[in-house]
Amino acid sequence: MPDFDILIMNPYPLGQNLLPQSQISCIWKQPDVGAKYRTAVSLHSHTNQSKESLLFIPAFAEKWPLLRWALNEQIKRSVRPIDFSLAYWTPPLPPKLAFELESNQIEIDLELMSLVSLTDHDSIGAPTALSQLPDPVRIPFAVEWSVPFEGAVFHLGVHNLPESQAHLIMDDLAEYTHEPSAPRLNELLSALHGFPEVLIVFNHPLWNQHGLGQPAFRNILDLFLQRYAQFLHAFELNAMRGWNENKDVIQLAATWQRPLISGGDRHGCEPSGALNLTDATSFSDFVDEIRREQLSHIVFMPQYAEVLGIRFMQTVIDTIRDYPDHPVGSRRWDDRVFHMDFQLGYHRPLSALWKAPPPYLGPIFSVIRMVENASVRHALNFTFREKSEAHRALDVPYEVSA
C-alpha cells in the first residue's frame, strides 16, 4: 500500500499539448483530502451479473493440500464430470445493493456527491436492471470487456456507452470476444473512441490472467499497446492488486503518456478500495476531465491498507455467505455457482446438481470464516504486513515523476 502522496506528471508532449497529471493520495494519511472536491467516482465493480471463471480452483488447490484432497474427493464422488473451464460463479450483490454499497461509502464516509459505474464482465445487465426499476437508478452503461489478443486476455473498462446504442455495441464486443480479429479490434476501439463521452480504461494492465511466461506476456502487452494505446484513455490503479504491481502500472502509463485512474474491482461486499476525486457533477464531465484535460486524482481508501490476501479471503467469505433476503435461487453460495449439465446442455446451479453440499466443506468454510474475527484479522494483518517486502518498502514517503 502507498503511504504517501504522489504527483505524477508526464513530460512527453501530446497531440493536444497537454501533460497527463495524476495525483495519488491515501485517506489514512490525508483524511480531509476530499474536502476541496465535490464528487468521488467509483469505477470498476461487479454485481451478480458477472460470470467469474472457476479455472483458478485447480491451480489454487495445488498449493493447499486440504483443498486438493477435498477437490479430489468431490471429483471421485461426482456422477457428472467436473470441468472447471465450463464452470463459473457470480458475485453475491445484485445491482441495486452494489450501487448502494458504492454510493454510501462516498456519500457517508467522504460526504461527497457520488458517481458510480458498475462494470460486469461482458454484460450491461446491471445498468439495464437499475434503469427498469419502479424508481429508476441512472448510472452509466458500462462493461468490463474481455479482449483476447495473441494468446493473452486483456480487460477494458468501457464506461458511459450511449444508452440508445449500448445493446448493439455489446453484440459487437461479444462477437469479437468469441472470434478475435486484429482488424475488427481496431474498428471497435476506434468506434468507441469516437464517442466523446465514452471512457476506455485499461483495467489491471499487468495482470497475466493466463499465467503466460512473463517475457512472452510483456511482448504481447507491448504489441497490444503499440497497436491500440491511441484508443485507451487511462490506465487503472487497481485496489485489488498489490502496490508493487500498481507501481509498475504508474511507469507503464508514463511510458504510454496516459493518465492513471482508480479501479475498485470489487466482487464481494467490501466497497471499492480506490476512488477518483473530481469537481465534475456528471459522468460525462468526469470523462471530459480524463480525456481532454488529462487530470486525475486517485484516493486509496482505508481497506487498501490491509494485507491483500486477507481482503481476498474476505471476498471468499462474502461469496460463501447466505443471504436470506435475496430472491429465491440466489440465497445460498451453491445457488450462485454454476456448472454445465451435460445431459441438458446448459448451465445449472450446484444446488440443482446435488442434494446438499459435501459435508467436508463445512469445516473448511469455518476455517475461512475465522478471518472475520476482529482479533484474528488484526493478528494476520500485523504478521503479514511485517513480512511483506512491499509494505516495508513503503515506509519511506517518496514521489514518482515520469
Side-chain angles (χ1 to χ4, degrees):
M1 74 200 176
D3 213 16
F4 47 83
D5 262 15
I6 310 174
L7 179 62
I8 301 154
M9 300 181 63
N10 193 316
Y12 303 110
L14 298 175
Q16 298 170 305
N17 294 319
L18 291 174
L19 304 178
Q21 297 184 33
S22 303
Q23 187 173 351
I24 304 170
S25 300
C26 304
I27 198 73
W28 58 90
K29 295 291 289 184
Q30 283 188 292
D32 298 325
V33 67
K36 61 181 180 180
Y37 292 95
R38 296 180 183 177
T39 307
V41 187
S42 168
L43 302 158
H44 188 182
S45 64
H46 297 269
T47 78
N48 63 2
Q49 301 297 302
S50 271
K51 294 181 179 180
E52 306 286 342
S53 172
L54 285 173
L55 271 174
F56 71 92
I57 288 182
F60 190 71
E62 288 301 313
K63 302 176 182 178
W64 297 91
L66 180 59
L67 182 57
R68 184 169 63 249
W69 170 84
L71 183 60
N72 290 335
E73 285 296 305
Q74 183 58 33
I75 290 174
K76 286 190 292 186
R77 296 179 186 183
S78 178
V79 297
R80 295 179 172 88
I82 296 177
D83 186 343
F84 287 100
S85 69
L86 297 175
Y88 66 88
W89 62 281
T90 59
L93 293 185
K96 191 168 189 297
L97 290 182
F99 168 78
E100 291 172 348
L101 180 73
E102 296 299 328
S103 59
N104 285 345
Q105 175 178 231
I106 293 169
E107 294 172 10
I108 295 173
D109 296 350
L110 295 181
E111 299 182 341
L112 297 173
M113 173 184 168
S114 65
L115 293 173
V116 176
S117 186
L118 302 174
T119 50
D120 289 310
H121 290 291
D122 305 303
S123 169
I124 53 172
T128 300
L130 290 174
S131 69
Q132 295 172 350
L133 293 174
D135 185 11
V137 176
R138 312 301 301 186
I139 65 170
F141 276 71
V143 62
E144 185 173 28
W145 177 27
S146 302
V147 182
F149 180 79
E150 299 290 332
V153 176
F154 299 115
H155 294 88
L156 302 182
V158 185
H159 303 265
N160 211 31
L161 292 167
E163 186 171 349
S164 62
Q165 302 178 58
H167 289 87
L168 292 175
I169 292 171
M170 287 300 301
D171 290 341
D172 288 338
L173 302 187
E175 181 182 3
Y176 170 83
T177 298
H178 288 104
E179 295 184 20
S181 158
R184 184 58 174 152
L185 181 56
N186 194 81
E187 291 174 1
L188 290 171
L189 288 172
S190 178
L192 291 170
H193 176 72
F195 293 109
E197 294 185 347
V198 166
L199 180 67
I200 305 173
V201 177
F202 197 173
N203 289 351
H204 38 62
L206 295 179
W207 181 35
N208 185 356
Q209 180 183 4
H210 287 178
L212 303 173
Q214 197 59 24
F217 174 75
R218 288 307 295 252
N219 287 337
I220 295 170
L221 174 63
D222 288 344
L223 180 60
F224 179 79
L225 290 171
Q226 288 166 17
R227 291 184 181 176
Y228 308 115
Q230 60 183 315
F231 304 123
L232 307 178
H233 305 137
F235 287 15
E236 179 195 65
L237 292 188
N238 187 291
M240 293 302 295
R241 310 300 298 174
W243 180 240
N244 279 347
E245 180 178 317
N246 279 328
K247 283 194 298 182
D248 289 341
V249 173
I250 291 172
Q251 298 305 318
L252 189 70
T255 299
W256 290 95
Q257 307 171 43
R258 291 297 178 268
L260 297 159
I261 202 167
S262 64
D265 207 4
R266 177 195 49 73
H267 287 76
C269 299
E270 174 194 89
S272 290
L275 304 168
N276 259 74
L277 299 173
T278 178
D279 281 326
T281 56
S282 72
F283 202 86
S284 295
D285 287 345
F286 173 67
V287 172
D288 187 68
E289 189 172 88
I290 300 295
R291 286 188 58 165
R292 187 178 62 82
E293 299 181 44
Q294 302 276 296
L295 298 173
S296 178
H297 190 166
I298 298 164
V299 59
F300 283 105
M301 300 301 287
Q303 49 268 39
Y304 194 65
E306 278 204 290
V307 172
L308 186 58
I310 296 173
R311 296 177 62 219
F312 274 121
M313 194 66 72
Q314 184 62 57
T315 298
V316 173
I317 293 170
D318 292 340
T319 302
I320 63 176
R321 196 190 312 277
D322 286 347
Y323 296 88
D325 295 333
H326 283 195
V328 174
S330 63
R331 293 173 179 171
R332 296 184 353 217
W333 72 268
D334 57 348
D335 292 329
R336 302 186 297 271
V337 178
F338 297 79
H339 194 280
M340 175 63 72
D341 187 323
F342 295 101
Q343 293 179 332
L344 298 178
Y346 56 85
H347 284 85
R348 299 176 70 196
L350 291 185
S351 57
L353 297 175
W354 58 27
K355 294 180 180 179
Y360 55 77
L361 288 180
I364 295 175
F365 286 177
S366 295
V367 172
I368 293 173
R369 290 188 178 105
M370 289 178 62
V371 170
E372 289 198 298
N373 179 283
S375 298
V376 172
R377 196 177 189 113
H378 176 78
L380 289 172
N381 267 300
F382 178 80
T383 300
F384 289 103
R385 190 178 192 279
E386 287 299 305
K387 292 181 179 180
S388 168
E389 291 183 7
H391 285 79
R392 286 203 304 270
L394 293 167
D395 288 340
V396 180
Y398 63 93
E399 288 189 354
V400 176
S401 59

